[in-house]
Amino acid sequence: MAEVTLTPDYVWSQRSRTETSWTNAVTGADTVFSAIPNFHTQTDRATHDGGTAFTCDRSYLNFSLSVLPSYHTITAVDLVLHGISDGVVDDDSEFLERKIVKATEPDLTTGAASPATWPERDESITHGDYVTWNTDADNTFSFGTDLLNYVKVQHSSGLRCAFWLMNQLELEDDTYTPSGGANATSWAGYAHVGAESEKPRLVITYTVGSPQIQSKNIQIGSGQLNIKGGTLTIK
């Protein structure tokens, strides 16, 4: 087994705001703002602004898998995000329960659009069970079968993989609603001024493969054939 650690190509957050319902905030049904690349600190929010007004901030990450040749086989993936204490508020315990969710668009850069859009996610494909968010510590999301297979397919196809960090209030919006206060947590972005080890990272474990060498017939009419190393077998 071997291991490689990847840093994200793009990290940004995006806001949805509504005057109608929490579900409309989660689905981006009303007002959506262009994404903001927060290189140093990412902030996620699920806020009840009063009455039927709500704000939902969510975070997007994507990673290039090109450093890993296609003939290697991915066996395990962990996404690690380091929680920091800036502006942490958690009035609802469900807000601290987090999952990594497959993003349906792996090549978004800043997420900005005119008008701003609320990119899709596939909530049926997540890393697994909820992870309770920790501050001033690493939060490790070990990918179960579904999200692991997604990364494998992206790798074999030469494509990026991308994810949303989502909380239980968002994923179960038909059951839960922000109670009447604010919820906010922050985590280190890829230009974070803290330790290098606190930056977002995708840790991939893989088995080392060998490139396939195709057999070819070579006709030599004249000249010289120089072989610097290896074995030449003539059958």
Side-chain angles (χ1 to χ4, degrees):
M1 292 289 183
E3 185 179 281
V4 62
T5 298
L6 307 179
T7 54
D9 286 351
Y10 295 98
V11 178
W12 43 264
S13 62
Q14 190 171 19
R15 172 168 294 180
S16 168
R17 183 168 283 164
T18 181
E19 299 289 336
T20 53
S21 69
W22 171 239
T23 293
N24 280 356
V26 172
T27 58
D30 294 330
T31 303
V32 174
F33 298 85
S34 294
I36 301 173
N38 292 334
F39 303 120
H40 297 285
T41 302
Q42 289 291 118
T43 301
D44 302 293
R45 286 185 177 87
T47 302
H48 186 187
D49 301 316
T52 57
F54 296 91
T55 298
C56 177
D57 289 359
R58 61 178 186 171
S59 296
Y60 173 94
L61 310 93
N62 74 8
F63 297 82
S64 171
L65 303 170
S66 60
V67 70
L68 197 64
S70 60
Y71 50 81
H72 296 328
T73 302
I74 295 175
T75 58
V77 176
D78 291 332
L79 178 58
V80 184
L81 304 174
H82 187 85
I84 55 180
S85 56
D86 294 349
V88 172
V89 185
D90 52 353
D91 286 345
D92 296 288
S93 60
E94 295 84 8
F95 177 70
L96 296 179
E97 300 302 315
R98 303 295 173 87
K99 287 188 180 186
I100 302 300
V101 179
K102 172 191 170 184
T104 58
E105 300 175 68
D107 295 316
L108 298 177
T109 54
T110 63
S114 181
T117 59
W118 193 245
E120 292 294 328
R121 72 275 185 189
D122 186 348
E123 295 181 10
S124 69
I125 299 180
T126 74
H127 84 279
D129 294 334
Y130 284 108
V131 171
T132 303
W133 188 260
N134 290 301
T135 301
D136 294 324
D138 284 344
N139 295 274
T140 301
F141 300 85
S142 297
F143 288 11
T145 301
D146 291 343
L147 205 56
L148 177 61
N149 285 341
Y150 160 67
V151 176
K152 289 181 176 180
V153 168
Q154 297 300 98
H155 171 241
S156 63
S157 302
L159 302 173
R160 283 190 177 95
C161 57
F163 314 100
W164 293 101
L165 172 64
M166 300 184 69
N167 61 72
Q168 191 174 9
L169 291 172
E170 296 172 274
L171 291 169
E172 301 179 34
D173 58 284
D174 55 343
T175 302
Y176 299 106
T177 300
S179 62
N183 295 288
T185 52
S186 299
W187 45 279
Y190 63 68
H192 181 54
V193 295
E196 187 72 21
S197 61
E198 295 179 356
K199 296 179 180 180
R201 56 198 184 274
L202 196 68
V203 182
I204 297 178
T205 304
Y206 63 95
T207 55
V208 179
S210 301
Q212 292 184 347
I213 301 175
Q214 296 181 348
S215 299
K216 292 186 178 180
N217 295 322
I218 303 174
Q219 294 183 348
I220 302 175
S222 62
Q224 295 179 332
L225 174 63
N226 295 318
I227 301 175
K228 293 184 178 181
T231 302
L232 174 64
T233 302
I234 300 174
K235 296 182 179 180

